[in-house]
Amino acid sequence: MRDCCGLLTLKNEPGKNMGSVQLKVQGFVADVCSTLSYENSESSPVEAVFVFPMEEDSSVYDFHAEIGGVKIQAEIREKQEARDTYDDALSSGQQAFLLEESDESRDVFRLSVGSLPAGQKATVCLSYVTELAVEADGALRYCLPAILNPRYTPAGLCLPVLQAQSLTTPVSGASGGLVPYSLSFSAHLASPSGVAQVKSNCDLTPLEYLRDDKTQAQVSLSPGHKFDRDVELLVYYSHPHQPTAIVEGGLASATPGSLMGDPLVMVSLYPEFPAAASTPQSSCGEFIFLVDRSGSMDCPMSNMESGPMRIESARDTLLLLLKSLPLGCFFNIYGFGSHFEAFFPESVKYTQQTMDSALGKVKGMGADFGGTEILEPLKDIYSKACRPGHPRQLFVFTDGEVGNTKDVINEVKKHAGTHRCFTFGIGEGASTALIKGMARVGSGHPEFITGKDRMQPKVMQSLRFALQPAVNNIVLNWDVPAGLEVVPVSETPKVLFRGHRSILYAQLKGKFDESAVGLASLQYSLGDEPHKTEISFKLQSDKHTGLTTHRLAARTLICSLEEGGSVEGEGEDKEKVKERVVKISTEARVISTHTAFIAVNKDLNQAVQGPLIHRNMWPQRRSLRGQALSYSFMPQVEMLCDDQSDMFCGDVMYMDSGFNAMSYDTAPDAEVKEDPMLTLISLQKADGSWELNESLVSVFEKKEQEAISKMPAEVSDKAVWATVLALLWLHGFRADLKEEFLGKRASLKPCLEAGNRLLGCKVEPQTLAL
């Protein structure tokens, strides 16, 4: 059977699909309207089932459809009630649409289009808002996912797991060639600090400024874009770390005193620790690296024609971290798949010998451990006692293809008091629910690695966060006029990192003068020293936000309730949590795990005639050179059933251990020149120095003898000379990465002038703090 994805006809040909996405970015919040049009070219009515990915923290607030010129507005209801309504509509020959979030993962949605007659067109439109992540270089990142990786079901569990890709990925036509869906994508950007530039992994039209002060701009995907990979947009503001506060008026039709009826304030703070307090710890910490070695890690990072495999990126990421650990700390490395293995029985002290031993094993790491079972190695790590005086930091590297996402997140949350969890999503299609969820409950930081271009600063940012001293006694205070009460919606942050954004939501109850001013103050302690970050804001409502703040706040509250209820709630408590989630979800029109959007075409004059054909998504991957990968499913089963209570029962399910039997139809790879930066990192010693040899000087495009001849006469140690050359090269030619190695260096001042002459750069002594 040929693996295809998309809506297929009886002749195994793709249906006619096209989509459009309109993105509005206001500050650090994105409002997205996504539209998909489909025409049923079959001779019988079709029930189309689309499964597609979405960012984990997205808040879907509107869904409607248009069929036969009639607009059908969806209502949000309790999930089982919505499913029953959908089933009843189809059984009576009516047309219906059902949009629901996965029970197991917040970043996966299922859209069912029921009873679409032969030859008829349908258009579905959904809208959502989301907070934009801040990258290590200050960019705001928006991602439009094109790929939903198959989710592996751990052994012994019976989970209804999704095995599909986005409705917008390429499909295989009858001839076997790729037939991409058409996509139009436009973005309107607005920020009072000014839009500096926009970058993307896809071709864009030139950035067009709509105002002379550059506070508004627009950009689009270039015509002819093939939606065969995630669309990543990086927006750079002139002053990205400015604290902001926005007050949004309540919904006039909502009940006064409710979340939607009262004004809300959204505060974004960037704590800046004093330089003395933010110095990285020199030798404290236990660092556990948990690396995905399942078969799916042997897939390409993206659908691009060339590029590294995921396991290669994981090895490079691990190399960066191992070379940057402080002397005297402890570390260990786990690999996991269907089983797991640790490099050392217990964490070992970080020395030149243990680092060399670990690096040798890292180089031999392959994607050869079968399925993706992360829960058991987590339990093994948590079962080991922490070392006194060495706070444990867990770093997880995975493509996120697991079906028990909530179980994994709950396990991390149980042990958040003794561990911090930093996560790296490797490759396109990594589960944002898993990567962000583990980091959120583990008081860490998530990163997504989709290529080598920005891997290094992302990795080092997470390590700097892990090395920062613990922040204690975090308290959020509000100073507002008399008669006004501030009710927090989001929890006070449990962890703070220098320069890391904290977003807080609060409800404003009571009467107040909109010309008055409020003050939000985040207080915390570093060691014995108290510190404070604050921002004042006008209580006047912003007229241009719509209900964005309310929708994001509702989603934040729902997620907090769901996560708290899933761990602590039992019996009646769980039911109470569900009732509250359903109430907030329906009032705010924001979808949740317990609710769904349902739309029924009640204006249809007669029932749809003929047998209803089910059409489901099928997974397809691309190899490194563009050929299709062949997956081995044991057995490969299409399960079609009428019982909607078994979530996603119509999708292909893994019944085996996963990806052990992949075949690649690819030509041998052409020789790829290694990144000189990674070469330099691989040559660094545990104490931060380098040895003078041919491998090192080749990074500088010099010969070893030439480097030796230029060494100052008063310097007798070649390692000192080699180290200053390495640091000069970093500062002179890779200044964007210079902070990665400043914590490890010898006394190098005598070599500075000679090194500048040899390398042809001009680095001042104060730059190296000499």
Side-chain angles (χ1 to χ4, degrees):
M1 181 181 295
R2 175 181 295 151
D3 291 340
C4 303
C5 66
L7 197 57
L8 306 180
T9 67
L10 289 172
K11 298 180 180 179
N12 201 35
E13 296 175 345
K16 299 177 181 179
N17 296 267
M18 58 182 179
S20 66
V21 175
Q22 294 179 318
L23 169 69
K24 294 181 180 179
V25 176
Q26 182 75 32
F28 48 83
V29 173
D31 194 327
V32 187
C33 179
S34 180
T35 303
L36 174 74
S37 298
Y38 171 73
E39 179 181 357
N40 179 13
S41 57
E42 298 197 31
S43 57
S44 300
V46 164
E47 180 190 17
V49 179
F50 297 109
V51 178
F52 57 94
M54 190 177 292
E55 285 287 320
E56 180 259 358
D57 45 10
S58 298
S59 178
V60 180
Y61 66 86
D62 184 68
F63 173 63
H64 62 267
E66 186 172 319
I67 185 168
V70 177
K71 181 179 179 180
I72 312 167
Q73 184 66 49
E75 300 175 354
I76 193 164
R77 298 183 188 175
E78 190 275 329
K79 182 177 282 187
Q80 191 56 52
E81 180 187 346
R83 290 175 178 171
D84 292 342
T85 301
Y86 178 81
D87 288 342
D88 291 345
L90 262 62
S91 62
S92 61
Q94 291 181 298
Q95 296 166 338
F97 302 81
L98 178 68
L99 178 67
E100 51 190 326
E101 180 185 293
S102 166
D103 290 331
E104 274 301 315
S105 187
R106 287 199 181 98
D107 63 343
V108 178
F109 284 77
R110 171 183 171 122
L111 169 62
S112 300
V113 180
S115 296
L116 186 62
Q120 194 162 42
K121 295 180 180 180
T123 299
V124 293
C125 179
L126 64 90
S127 299
Y128 63 92
V129 290
T130 184
E131 300 169 358
L132 297 181
V134 181
E135 298 286 275
D137 59 356
L140 295 178
R141 176 181 182 265
Y142 169 75
C143 180
L144 177 64
I147 298 171
L148 171 58
N149 293 332
R151 303 293 168 87
Y152 172 82
T153 304
L157 292 181
C158 183
L159 294 174
V161 182
L162 301 173
Q163 302 299 335
Q165 285 183 307
S166 164
L167 65 164
T168 46
T169 49
V171 299
S172 294
S175 62
L178 287 178
V179 184
Y181 291 99
S182 62
L183 171 74
S184 63
F185 177 92
S186 62
H188 181 277
L189 316 170
S191 171
S193 65
V195 180
Q197 63 175 324
V198 177
K199 296 180 181 179
S200 177
N201 61 332
C202 305
D203 292 335
L204 300 175
T205 60
L207 183 66
E208 179 185 353
Y209 288 106
L210 304 179
R211 291 186 178 179
D212 293 338
D213 59 3
K214 297 185 178 181
T215 57
Q216 292 193 24
Q218 63 184 18
V219 71
S220 303
L221 281 178
S222 297
H225 172 74
K226 296 179 180 179
F227 196 21
D228 57 353
R229 60 187 181 276
D230 291 354
V231 176
E232 187 182 58
L233 209 64
L234 300 173
V235 181
Y236 293 83
Y237 293 151
S238 299
H239 304 286
H241 287 186
Q242 282 185 339
T244 59
I246 298 174
V247 175
E248 182 179 81
L251 185 63
S253 60
T255 304
S258 67
L259 181 67
M260 297 302 292
D262 283 339
L264 288 181
V265 59
M266 176 172 61
V267 177
S268 174
L269 295 173
Y270 291 85
E272 290 294 340
F273 302 163
S278 61
T279 302
Q281 300 170 1
S282 58
S283 60
C284 295
E286 180 188 13
F287 300 87
I288 308 294
F289 304 102
L290 183 57
V291 184
D292 191 342
R293 295 184 60 177
S294 63
S296 60
M297 290 290 286
D298 210 14
C299 291
M301 293 284 287
S302 69
N303 280 343
M304 301 293 287
E305 289 298 323
S306 62
M309 310 303 276
R310 297 176 192 175
I311 190 65
E312 295 173 14
S313 181
R315 287 196 298 256
D316 289 344
T317 305
L318 189 53
L319 168 66
L320 276 168
L321 289 166
L322 280 175
K323 287 290 185 174
S324 305
L325 294 179
L327 279 173
C329 73
F330 290 80
F331 78 101
N332 203 352
I333 300 172
Y334 281 71
F336 72 91
S338 296
H339 63 286
F340 65 90
E341 294 178 0
F343 280 15
F344 308 103
E346 300 285 343
S347 295
V348 296
K349 195 169 185 178
Y350 181 72
T351 64
Q352 185 65 47
Q353 181 179 1
T354 57
M355 186 191 74
D356 287 342
S357 173
L359 288 176
K361 295 178 180 180
V362 168
K363 292 178 181 178
M365 288 174 58
D368 51 4
F369 274 26
T372 312
E373 300 193 28
I374 190 174
L375 194 56
E376 291 308 312
L378 279 175
K379 290 180 178 178
D380 185 76
I381 292 170
Y382 293 143
S383 69
K384 292 180 167 60
C386 296
R387 292 178 176 272
H390 290 273
R392 183 174 289 175
Q393 319 278 359
L394 177 63
F395 289 77
V396 180
F397 310 81
T398 179
D399 56 10
E401 300 190 7
V402 301
N404 57 339
T405 299
K406 290 187 177 180
D407 290 339
V408 173
I409 292 174
N410 289 340
E411 186 67 23
V412 175
K413 184 174 183 178
K414 290 178 186 177
H415 301 276
T418 56
H419 301 68
R420 284 201 296 186
C421 183
F422 297 83
T423 53
F424 296 89
I426 307 295
E428 290 186 351
S431 169
T432 61
L434 181 70
I435 303 304
K436 292 183 178 180
M438 292 177 69
R440 182 177 61 253
V441 301
S443 298
H445 180 73
E447 291 285 7
F448 291 87
I449 310 295
T450 55
K452 287 188 176 182
D453 53 339
R454 299 188 324 282
M455 177 182 72
Q456 293 151 358
K458 288 184 176 185
V459 171
M460 300 316 299
Q461 174 174 260
S462 287
L463 182 59
R464 283 194 294 271
F465 287 166
L467 287 170
Q468 285 179 10
V471 176
N472 302 310
N473 305 320
I474 303 174
V475 178
L476 176 64
N477 292 317
W478 300 88
D479 185 4
V480 294
L484 181 62
E485 180 187 4
V486 179
V487 179
V489 175
S490 51
E491 298 179 358
T492 301
K494 297 178 181 178
V495 62
L496 293 177
F497 301 119
R498 182 178 183 271
H500 183 255
R501 184 183 64 189
S502 296
I503 297 179
L504 311 168
Y505 300 94
Q507 188 174 353
L508 303 179
K509 288 181 172 291
K511 296 183 179 181
F512 57 90
D513 183 356
E514 288 200 351
S515 64
V517 175
L519 180 71
S521 176
L522 194 65
Q523 299 180 354
Y524 50 92
S525 297
L526 275 170
D528 297 327
E529 294 292 325
H531 298 279
K532 181 168 59 176
T533 298
E534 59 184 19
I535 180 175
S536 60
F537 56 94
K538 292 182 179 180
L539 295 175
Q540 183 178 6
S541 300
D542 191 315
K543 306 300 182 183
H544 304 289
T545 59
L547 290 171
T548 299
T549 299
H550 283 74
R551 289 160 182 156
L552 290 172
R555 178 66 173 179
T556 300
L557 183 56
I558 287 171
C559 290
S560 177
L561 288 169
E562 289 177 340
E563 287 178 353
S566 61
V567 175
E568 302 166 3
E570 296 292 341
E572 291 184 359
D573 290 341
K574 259 189 173 180
E575 285 302 314
K576 289 180 180 179
V577 168
K578 178 181 176 181
E579 288 177 9
R580 191 176 176 196
V581 167
V582 171
K583 184 175 186 294
I584 296 170
S585 177
T586 51
E587 288 180 352
R589 283 184 55 83
V590 171
I591 201 169
S592 71
T593 302
H594 299 297
T595 55
F597 276 107
I598 176 67
V600 178
N601 186 4
K602 300 177 180 178
D603 295 329
L604 193 64
N605 294 325
Q606 62 181 35
V608 177
Q609 303 296 320
L612 187 63
I613 299 174
H614 295 261
R615 288 288 176 251
N616 295 272
M617 304 294 292
W618 291 80
Q620 171 159 326
R621 292 291 186 81
R622 300 289 292 162
S623 72
L624 183 61
R625 297 191 176 277
Q627 291 83 4
L629 299 180
S630 173
Y631 291 124
S632 177
F633 298 130
M634 298 293 290
Q636 185 170 356
V637 182
E638 181 181 11
M639 302 178 66
L640 297 179
C641 60
D642 295 325
D643 183 9
Q644 289 288 339
S645 63
D646 185 11
M647 185 62 173
F648 308 115
C649 61
D651 297 306
V652 181
M653 302 174 69
Y654 281 109
M655 310 297 288
D656 190 47
S657 61
F659 292 87
N660 285 327
M662 289 186 183
S663 63
Y664 293 84
D665 182 17
T666 60
D669 291 339
E671 184 177 351
V672 179
K673 186 177 180 181
E674 186 174 0
D675 183 354
M677 183 67 190
L678 289 177
T679 301
L680 185 72
I681 294 168
S682 67
L683 296 171
Q684 190 182 27
K685 299 296 182 181
D687 63 0
S689 67
W690 280 266
E691 290 185 355
L692 188 63
N693 53 40
E694 190 64 39
S695 298
L696 176 66
V697 297
S698 66
V699 173
F700 317 139
E701 299 183 348
K702 304 290 182 181
K703 296 295 184 181
E704 183 179 0
Q705 192 56 45
E706 181 183 5
I708 293 175
S709 67
K710 300 296 183 181
M711 188 172 72
E714 62 269 30
V715 178
S716 58
D717 190 344
K718 290 183 179 179
V720 172
W721 175 233
T723 303
V724 82
L725 290 178
L727 290 176
L728 285 172
W729 184 85
L730 274 169
H731 283 271
F733 303 102
R734 298 298 292 271
D736 57 321
L737 304 172
K738 62 186 179 183
E739 292 184 12
E740 298 177 13
F741 299 92
L742 294 185
K744 298 178 175 182
R745 57 178 181 269
S747 179
L748 309 172
K749 189 173 181 179
C751 305
L752 181 63
E753 185 177 344
N756 274 328
R757 286 197 301 268
L758 174 64
L759 299 181
C761 55
K762 297 180 180 180
V763 178
E764 299 296 328
Q766 60 268 25
T767 305
L768 294 180
L770 301 179

